[in-house]
Amino acid sequence: MSNVPSDLKYSKEHEWVRVDGNRAYIGITDFAQSELGDIVFVELPEDGGEITMNATFGTVESVKTVSDLYAPVSGKIVEINAALNDAPEKVNESPYGDAWMLVVELTDASELDNLLSADEYTALISK
């Protein structure tokens, strides 16, 4: 069974969100990284750009496939995790810790209401 921390929100596309004030940390779930296999490259947008809910913001490349990353919320990118450029395997090792991908300033906090709780996400991936 995948690790699904209860303090995070989740998208149906397997991204997670940790809210800290008006900022949201975004990454991919333990389930997503386990399905992808060994991650060899992470492509993220430029710092200072914008992401829009449900639009793609980057890609994750594994030995098996390339997957698009979908924004679970909209916002202005205030930080990217540059460490993933040199160590993309962190996504496999610590999907909820060291391998966060973006920090955004939320433009519409009500979008968080569209995300799944840990229980709802667990039900989704258990199907």
Side-chain angles (χ1 to χ4, degrees), residues 1 4 8 11 39 42 56 65-67 78 82-83 93 101 106:
M1 190 70 200
V4 182
L8 304 177
S11 72
I39 303 220
V42 179
T56 59
T65 187
V66 176
S67 280
V78 293
E93 296 162 3
M101 295 180 175
L106 295 167

Side-chain angles (χ1 to χ4, degrees), residues 65-122:
T65 187
V66 176
S67 280
D68 286 331
L69 297 167
Y70 293 93
V73 292
S74 302
K76 179 177 192 287
I77 300 167
V78 293
E79 192 175 351
I80 59 164
N81 189 348
L84 297 180
N85 293 335
D86 297 324
E89 68 277 2
K90 283 182 189 265
V91 176
N92 295 116
E93 296 162 3
S94 181
Y96 301 115
D98 295 339
W100 58 271
M101 295 180 175
L102 302 176
V103 181
V104 300
E105 270 181 14
L106 295 167
T107 49
D108 183 358
S110 71
E111 289 178 343
L112 295 166
D113 298 337
N114 298 315
L115 299 175
L116 305 174
S117 69
D119 289 343
E120 290 166 328
Y121 183 72
T122 299

